[in-house]
Amino acid sequence: MSLSRRALLGATGLASLPGLPEPWAIRPAAAQTERVLRYGISMADIPQTTGQPDRGAGAYQFTGHTLYDPLVAWEMDVADRPGRLVPGLATTWEADPADRRRWIFRLREGVRFHDGAAFDADAVIWNFEKVLNPQAPHFDNRQAAQVRPRLPSVAAWRKLDAMTVEVTTRTVDSIFPYQMLWFLISSPAQYERLGRSWERFAQEPSGTGPFRLARLVPRERAELVRNPDYWNPARRPKLDRLILVVAPEAVTRTNALLTGQLDLIETPAPDLVPRLRQAGMRITENVTPHVWNYHLSLLEGSPWRDLRLRRAANLAINRDEVVALMNGLAKPAVGVVDPASPWFGRPEFQVRTDIDAARKLLAEAGISRGSPLRTKFLIATGGSGQMLSMPMNEYIQSAWREVGIEVEFQAVELEVLYTCWRQGAAGEIARQGQVTANNVAYVTSDPLYALIRFFHSKQVAPTGVNWSHYSDPETDRLIDAALTTFDPAEVDRLMARVHERVVDQALLVFVVHDTNPHALGKAVRGYTQAQHWFQDLTTLA
């Protein structure tokens, strides 16, 4: 029998309320004169501050879109529909009709970095070199590791004039602008001023964003202050100071909000949600293009090369029970994207709970409780976007055990999990650990992030994150056709065909979609829960 939600929460310490240890008991001394908000984040450390955050997509709201800007931005201040691409540091972008691989970006005039230096084409080229050219003197491998897989189409870049840049893609790629959401611009002048040291730059970063970094205490907190000269008046922060507090434990984070030591937290402990509401706190969540699942290795020797086993692993999970474990702060996943998505299509294989069908498929493959499949998965101990990683994994582990799948979990810090993800199933971490699945939750906001980077054969590491080493000529053909059409409706139709193949072949084990829950103290105003992992913290008051 599957473990109950209460049993799992208790087993992981979520049924108790430990006291809040120092140094999390942060009380702003200037609260009487400053508008200060303390935000408890679910990460084990403050994400990189040098220009390309680590720790996944969720980190962009903390040290990405606060300190920096992309050329192409995302609409982050709407809650009732998905956001759209909007101008950022580039006012326009277009593919050259004579050569669709050439994209022209016209840059915004009058923007300055926090250090006072002017933003221009030279800065953009310097930033491309920083993460995509290992021979560049200022190349930073730590930043490159984060953003290089997010820019798989970029082949070349050059300055056309002081405020115009050309980017050439490897092939025609109609959805290329979505990749530019992740490419953030840091200051070349500040890097020079600090002796060309990325370590010093991390303490004194300079971007063009709405906040500046006032103080960084690794594994404890980052204090961001308002940039009064920010180029976009609509995104000038309402706060004077935003304190990001490292609080990876869900119950401690929640307790800190209840005791007034934090003002806002992400991913509250599910069992404490009723108590939060009784205390007058507000719980916000929204439709989020984000999926929590398992990527299965398809390399020679992996048990998951057998379609029967992949389908059985999906059928053995009761997703409603996982949602109950989260106290309703999730939604069952029956594919990479939600059925409401234009890319869902009409898969023949129905992802559902059917224990008898799972046992039958496993029996056909010679597997039962008496003769189980034994394998190892890599999972995260926690982190933004990973929801309640340990309780959820343990719940699924118990469900699989009932049908004859014995999974040993190797729990690692989130950035180790991401490193394995980027290396692929043939990479050092998976190979040495004999790992056959990777449990990374991720954003599914556009065709690249939802499907292309996982299922095109040319997206195997180090190009993309086709972790499984999946290769299928028909899937490749559909993706290639989508990339060469500039008709959005045709892109949607082709992506729906790709998704049908992914679900029918049970390439992943689909579990739930995150609703990105946050808990707000009674005094917090202005927070807009966007339908994305990107969130705009400038609206907080």
Side-chain angles (χ1 to χ4, degrees):
M1 180 178 292
S2 299
L3 293 176
S4 70
R5 176 169 70 95
R6 175 67 64 178
L8 270 171
L9 290 173
T12 55
L14 295 179
S16 62
L17 274 175
L20 186 73
E22 295 290 347
W24 293 353
I26 298 170
R27 301 183 184 281
Q32 302 264 334
T33 56
E34 278 191 315
R35 292 166 296 181
V36 179
L37 186 139
R38 299 155 297 168
Y39 187 169
I41 69 174
S42 63
M43 297 181 172
D45 198 358
I46 296 297
Q48 282 182 179
T49 56
T50 44
Q52 295 297 157
D54 58 357
R55 302 179 180 275
Y60 273 70
Q61 67 180 302
F62 302 130
T63 59
H65 297 139
T66 48
L67 303 174
Y68 300 95
D69 290 303
L71 298 183
V72 180
W74 188 259
E75 207 175 20
M76 298 184 290
D77 58 354
V78 292
D80 58 353
R81 59 169 173 77
R84 303 186 181 99
L85 298 178
V86 295
L89 292 177
T91 56
T92 64
W93 54 91
E94 60 184 351
D96 182 349
D99 182 356
R100 292 290 197 177
R101 294 176 306 152
R102 295 179 63 248
W103 287 83
I104 309 302
F105 293 84
R106 293 178 175 82
L107 307 182
R108 189 177 298 278
E109 302 272 359
V111 176
R112 291 196 171 272
F113 290 100
H114 299 156
D115 58 86
F119 164 75
D120 56 15
D122 289 329
V124 174
I125 299 303
W126 185 89
N127 275 270
F128 273 117
E129 297 279 319
K130 174 187 75 174
V131 294
L132 295 180
N133 180 10
Q135 280 70 53
H138 60 291
F139 177 77
D140 183 14
N141 193 55
R142 288 190 66 193
Q143 292 186 70
Q146 304 305 320
V147 77
R148 189 168 48 224
R150 303 184 190 276
L151 304 173
S153 293
V154 177
W157 49 91
R158 68 185 180 111
K159 170 184 171 181
L160 297 184
D161 61 40
M163 299 304 291
T164 311
V165 169
E166 173 191 285
V167 180
T168 303
T169 56
R170 300 180 190 279
T171 60
V172 176
D173 184 351
S174 62
I175 63 170
F176 170 64
Y178 284 103
Q179 295 182 29
M180 300 307 290
L181 293 171
W182 307 91
F183 176 60
L184 304 178
I185 306 298
S186 54
S187 169
Q190 182 76 338
Y191 177 77
E192 292 292 326
R193 188 181 74 81
L194 296 174
R196 302 183 178 182
S197 167
W198 284 117
E199 289 73 21
R200 292 183 64 190
F201 195 100
Q203 292 289 331
E204 300 179 58
S206 178
T208 61
F211 288 95
R212 304 180 185 196
L213 181 67
R215 186 183 184 199
L216 174 64
V217 183
R219 294 194 172 272
E220 184 179 317
R221 68 185 184 274
E223 298 190 22
L224 311 182
V225 295
R226 183 177 186 267
N227 177 10
D229 302 318
Y230 186 55
W231 58 266
N232 183 357
R235 286 195 71 224
R236 285 182 187 149
K238 310 298 185 296
L239 298 169
D240 294 309
R241 186 177 298 264
L242 173 64
I243 303 176
L244 303 174
V245 182
V246 172
E249 296 295 330
V251 74
T252 307
R253 196 166 58 242
T254 307
N255 192 34
L257 180 63
L258 284 166
T259 56
Q261 296 171 86
L262 293 173
D263 304 300
L264 166 66
I265 63 171
E266 60 174 351
T267 319
D271 260 20
L272 297 180
V273 167
R275 184 172 171 185
L276 287 169
R277 289 190 168 122
Q278 288 170 4
M281 311 299 181
R282 184 159 59 96
I283 308 298
T284 67
E285 50 184 326
N286 204 341
V287 176
T288 305
H290 181 274
V291 65
W292 196 99
N293 54 201
Y294 300 91
H295 280 245
L296 306 171
S297 171
L298 298 177
L299 292 173
E300 191 70 39
S302 170
W304 305 112
R305 289 170 67 92
D306 190 326
L307 174 61
R308 296 170 298 184
L309 270 60
R310 300 197 302 269
R311 287 188 170 181
N314 274 284
L315 294 170
I317 297 171
N318 187 324
R319 290 157 187 82
D320 290 334
E321 290 184 355
V322 179
V323 171
L325 173 67
M326 295 296 295
N327 213 346
L329 303 179
K331 182 179 180 182
V334 292
V336 179
V337 295
D338 188 81
S341 168
W343 314 320
F344 188 82
R346 297 181 179 180
E348 293 181 5
F349 175 59
Q350 300 297 306
V351 178
R352 63 195 188 281
T353 305
D354 192 330
I355 307 301
D356 291 338
R359 288 188 173 125
K360 181 179 178 182
L361 286 168
L362 291 168
E364 291 174 5
I367 292 169
S368 65
R369 290 189 66 181
S371 180
L373 165 67
R374 299 185 187 277
T375 189
K376 184 188 291 185
F377 286 11
L378 199 71
I379 66 172
T381 53
S384 188
Q386 296 304 119
M387 307 177 73
L388 293 184
S389 179
M390 297 305 295
M392 293 167 70
N393 273 295
E394 289 167 13
Y395 194 92
I396 292 165
Q397 183 184 47
S398 70
W400 279 337
R401 187 178 296 122
E402 290 296 310
V403 298
I405 300 174
E406 291 279 356
V407 174
E408 174 190 350
F409 288 137
Q410 181 180 343
V412 296
E413 204 272 332
L414 181 58
E415 195 55 32
V416 176
L417 185 72
Y418 280 130
T419 300
C420 179
W421 196 42
R422 298 182 194 106
Q423 291 179 350
E428 180 182 5
I429 294 176
R431 189 177 65 253
Q432 291 187 354
Q434 297 183 311
V435 168
T436 68
N438 187 295
N439 173 222
V440 169
Y442 50 85
V443 171
T444 59
S445 55
D446 61 76
L448 171 68
Y449 264 66
L451 299 165
I452 296 170
R453 62 181 178 155
F454 302 120
F455 305 114
H456 196 289
S457 63
K458 292 183 179 178
Q459 290 291 319
V460 171
T463 303
V465 281
N466 181 344
W467 192 87
S468 303
H469 285 243
Y470 172 70
S471 180
D472 174 64
E474 177 61 12
T475 301
D476 284 354
R477 186 192 69 79
L478 291 167
I479 291 173
D480 290 341
L483 294 177
T484 56
T485 178
F486 285 75
D487 177 359
E490 181 63 4
V491 171
D492 288 348
R493 187 188 72 81
L494 291 164
M495 286 297 103
R497 294 276 307 281
V498 170
H499 189 257
E500 289 169 356
R501 297 183 69 78
V502 169
V503 175
D504 287 342
Q505 296 174 62
L507 297 178
L508 312 176
V509 179
F510 310 102
V511 185
V512 292
H513 298 297
D514 198 351
T515 60
N516 197 12
H518 288 69
L520 284 64
K522 290 181 284 187
V524 176
R525 300 288 183 270
Y527 183 67
T528 300
Q529 182 93 12
Q531 294 185 20
H532 200 285
W533 217 248
F534 293 163
Q535 299 293 319
D536 190 354
L537 303 187
T538 69
T539 63
L540 285 166

